[in-house]
Amino acid sequence: MSAGEKPGWGEIATFFLLTFAITWACWIPVAAAVPLASPLAQLLVYVGVFSPAITALLLTGTRRGAPGVRALLSRVWPVRVAWRWVVFALGYLAGVKLVAALLHRVVTGHWPRFDASALALIPFAIAVSTPVQAGEELGWRGFALPRLAARLGLAPASLLLGLVWATWHLPLFFVRGTDTFGQSFVLYAVQVMAIAAAIAMLYVRTHAGLFLPMLFHAAVNNTKDIVPSATPGAHAVFSPAASLLSWLAAGVLWACTLFILGWMVRTEADRRARYPDWIAPAG
């Protein structure tokens, strides 16, 4: 694809359709009948998790051959970045949850529950989890985001991708034993759209690198419960009903996201001038 040429919507739609088809074909049986603790369920869950990468590599190989696949894979390796972005990736959601806890104290007069039982394990968990996030990030940010951004601009693309990304997780809300089981998908989608904007900013700040998005993704997964906000016994997946702390965290997320989206809009023209080929931006 030549510099400045926009990818077709068919390519983007094909990626989403194949990714959903593979993942949901794996996850829906687990939600319906396969016990989560069984080896078969674990296999199906992980195949589903890696389907965005599988689809991205398949479509990239079909269109751009082995050089395109190598170029995409090369973006998962760490690159030199300012330390503030590493700190942002590691601490963003933890900071959001702590601010939400403070707001909870102001609003209700008492602190929410804190869970410090596994604090010492969080760095190890993030280190182990980061490579696994390539299964998603090669697809969502490596393949889908630049193609959507070429069409829509970075800010709308990041929000649309966040909504698609959240919806992709929907079967897990019906898998007993997951941390999303029975929780509010409405709240989850609101939060994930905001998180997707933050990851898109990291993607751009590192010139289309995927390591910091992977690190951010791992940190989100492993720090979200320092202030637990899930609703015990919830079963209304499509209801907005959720804990006060959850909605406070969503509010803090979106307050930050408005600044991120504003930066994206202000810098869109300059970014397109510097990186006319959004499929493989210059490093």
Side-chain angles (χ1 to χ4, degrees):
M1 180 174 291
S2 61
E5 181 184 351
K6 291 183 179 180
W9 282 110
E11 184 181 25
I12 299 168
T14 299
F15 169 77
F16 287 143
L17 288 172
L18 284 177
T19 299
F20 272 70
I22 296 171
T23 299
W24 284 22
C26 292
W27 289 356
I28 289 176
V30 177
V34 183
L36 184 60
S38 70
L40 176 59
Q42 293 300 305
L43 175 63
L44 290 173
V45 166
Y46 276 101
V47 171
V49 165
F50 277 84
S51 74
I54 294 168
T55 305
L57 293 170
L58 175 64
L59 294 179
T60 299
T62 300
R63 187 174 181 87
R64 309 188 78 191
V69 171
R70 287 194 295 269
L72 178 57
L73 288 172
S74 70
R75 288 157 58 192
V76 305
W77 300 108
V79 295
R80 183 176 297 178
V81 296
W83 272 102
R84 66 180 179 274
W85 299 119
V86 177
V87 173
F88 178 89
L90 290 172
Y92 180 67
L93 189 65
V96 166
K97 294 300 290 282
L98 291 174
V99 171
L102 178 60
L103 291 175
H104 189 279
R105 174 69 174 82
V106 171
V107 170
T108 68
H110 60 84
W111 292 100
R113 182 172 68 89
F114 291 84
D115 185 0
S117 60
L119 283 180
L121 296 177
I122 286 177
F124 175 76
I126 292 174
V128 171
S129 177
T130 297
V132 177
Q133 306 312 321
E136 292 192 44
E137 295 305 330
L138 278 165
W140 301 129
R141 257 57 64 169
F143 188 93
L145 178 62
R147 286 162 172 79
L148 285 172
R151 283 281 176 178
L152 304 174
L154 186 61
S158 66
L159 295 178
L160 175 59
L161 182 58
L163 180 59
V164 172
W165 184 29
T167 304
W168 175 77
H169 287 87
L170 183 58
L172 296 180
F173 284 74
F174 300 93
V175 176
R176 190 174 299 275
T178 64
D179 59 2
T180 54
F181 178 70
Q183 301 298 311
S184 170
F185 175 76
V186 176
L187 168 70
Y188 180 82
V190 168
Q191 292 180 332
V192 169
M193 289 174 69
I195 288 170
I199 301 181
M201 181 185 70
L202 286 176
Y203 170 88
V204 170
R205 291 289 191 179
T206 54
H207 307 293
L210 295 176
F211 181 78
L212 274 192
M214 289 159 54
L215 183 66
F216 182 100
H217 195 159
V220 166
N221 288 348
N222 289 286
T223 62
K224 60 184 176 59
D225 289 328
I226 60 172
V227 189
S229 55
T231 303
H235 60 276
V237 170
F238 297 106
S239 168
S243 67
L244 173 61
L245 181 63
S246 295
W247 279 108
L248 288 173
V252 175
L253 273 172
W254 272 95
C256 298
T257 299
L258 291 177
F259 284 98
I260 293 172
L261 294 175
W263 170 81
M264 290 178 178
V265 171
R266 290 194 307 272
T267 58
E268 182 72 27
D270 177 65
R271 188 164 48 252
R272 285 182 178 271
R274 294 175 63 194
Y275 307 121
D277 182 356
W278 268 87
I279 303 308

